[in-house]
């Protein structure tokens, strides 16, 4: 646990008067994890600080988010080594998210394959609002950096960079929120996607990281 912040056993969302017991949250996540990913799934003690941050963000706990430096108006980059549990946790945390902040989870590789098949029209699904929407649909792009540089009829496109830049514009305009999971560090993301996107990502995201030495839990 971080020295400057003490996680209490309960924390409260003041706008709807729900109280959450932290240990009960962990038990719930572990139970749901076993059902979804098998009986060997467990919540490791060393990962609890990361999961605490995600819970505080998900339930929009303003007081504790402020103590942790989390901006509830931004999205999340969940970073960590291969096999540390990023994808499973981002799935399991969804029930804690209020409906207006809900998000769909989409593999970055799948998005790149959609571009290869359908071209630039495939990107519209992630970068344009429907006529009845005030903001973009919430998305978590899973495993950013694992997608391939794919061409559509000879047209080369850094698909995820284009999507994230477009979603940044919508974030500025109407607070559309995006989340990401990635194996890459901040410097590796910059090398892959360029400084232009990196500067926008600082504005769009809170960075929450698993220990880079975290063991493979698969």
């Amino acid at each position: 646990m971080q020295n400057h912040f003490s996680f209490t056993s309960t924390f409260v969302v003041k706008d709807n008067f729900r109280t959450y017991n932290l240990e009960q949250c962990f038990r719930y996540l572990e139970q749901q994890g076993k059902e979804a990913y098998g009986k060997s799934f467990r919540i490791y003690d060393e990962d609890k600080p990361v999961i605490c941050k995600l819970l505080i963000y998900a339930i929009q706990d303003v007081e504790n988010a402020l103590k942790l430096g989390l901006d509830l108006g931004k999205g999340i980059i969940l970073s960590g080594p291969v096999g540390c549990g990023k994808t499973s946790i981002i799935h399991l945390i969804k029930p804690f998210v209020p409906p207006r902040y809900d998000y769909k989870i989409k593999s970055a590789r799948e998005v790149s394959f959609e571009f290869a098949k359908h071209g630039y029209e495939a990107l519209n699904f992630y970068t344009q609002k429907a006529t009845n929407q005030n903001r973009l649909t919430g998305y978590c792009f899973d495993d950013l950096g694992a997608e391939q540089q794919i061409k559509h009829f000879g047209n080369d496109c850094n698909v995820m960079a284009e999507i994230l830049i477009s979603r940044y514009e919508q974030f500025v305009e109407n607070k559309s929120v995006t989340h990401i999971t990635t194996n890459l560090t901040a410097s590796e993301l910059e090398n892959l996607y360029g400084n232009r996107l990196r500067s926008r990502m600082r504005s769009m995201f809170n960075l929450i990281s698993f220990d880079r030495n975290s063991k493979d839990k698969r």
Side-chain angles (χ1 to χ4, degrees), residues 1-2 7 26 44-56 68 208-209:
M1 301 289 178
Q2 298 186 20
F7 290 108
F26 290 141
Y44 291 82
D45 287 342
E46 60 264 33
D47 294 335
K48 286 184 177 181
V50 169
I51 298 172
C52 282
K53 290 180 183 179
L54 292 172
L55 286 168
I56 287 168
L68 287 169
I208 298 179
S209 298

Side-chain angles (χ1 to χ4, degrees), residues 3-109:
N3 293 331
H4 69 279
F5 181 84
S6 176
F7 290 108
T8 57
S9 60
T10 62
F11 41 91
V12 179
V13 182
K14 295 180 180 178
D15 63 351
N16 56 13
F17 306 103
R18 292 178 296 172
T19 302
Y20 292 80
N21 180 283
L22 199 53
E23 288 306 319
Q24 288 180 353
C25 290
F26 290 141
R27 286 196 292 271
Y28 171 83
L29 289 171
E30 191 162 86
Q31 175 190 345
Q32 295 302 306
K34 289 181 184 298
E35 292 181 9
Y37 303 109
K39 293 182 178 179
S40 62
F41 180 91
R42 57 174 291 196
I43 300 295
Y44 291 82
D45 287 342
E46 60 264 33
D47 294 335
K48 286 184 177 181
V50 169
I51 298 172
C52 282
K53 290 180 183 179
L54 292 172
L55 286 168
I56 287 168
Y57 175 88
I59 67 173
Q60 299 287 288
D61 181 345
V62 176
E63 181 179 350
N64 285 325
L66 184 62
K67 292 178 182 178
L68 287 169
L70 294 174
D71 187 334
L72 298 179
K74 296 182 179 182
I76 295 290
I77 291 181
L78 184 59
S79 175
V82 174
C84 69
K86 299 181 296 297
T87 300
S88 57
I89 291 299
I90 211 71
H91 276 277
L92 294 173
I93 215 79
K94 274 172 60 66
F96 293 89
V97 177
R100 67 182 180 276
Y101 298 117
D102 193 21
Y103 54 87
K104 299 179 181 180
I105 300 173
K106 187 76 174 183
S107 164
R109 291 180 72 250

Side-chain angles (χ1 to χ4, degrees), residues 179-210:
H179 308 295
I180 286 170
T181 73
T182 183
N183 300 330
L184 304 180
T185 65
S187 60
E188 289 170 337
L189 286 171
E190 182 174 359
N191 290 336
L192 185 59
Y193 297 105
N195 187 58
R196 178 167 168 253
L197 180 56
R198 169 85 182 274
S199 64
R200 286 162 172 76
M201 292 175 77
R202 291 193 190 100
S203 299
M204 290 174 68
F205 299 108
N206 299 281
L207 176 62
I208 298 179
S209 298
F210 284 93

Side-chain angles (χ1 to χ4, degrees), residues 90-134:
I90 211 71
H91 276 277
L92 294 173
I93 215 79
K94 274 172 60 66
F96 293 89
V97 177
R100 67 182 180 276
Y101 298 117
D102 193 21
Y103 54 87
K104 299 179 181 180
I105 300 173
K106 187 76 174 183
S107 164
R109 291 180 72 250
E110 290 181 19
V111 177
S112 67
F113 292 144
E114 288 173 356
F115 170 77
K117 185 175 182 179
H118 301 291
Y120 287 95
E121 285 189 9
L123 309 190
N124 295 341
F125 193 74
Y126 308 104
T127 60
Q128 295 185 8
K129 304 189 299 290
T131 53
N132 62 340
Q133 286 183 302
N134 294 321

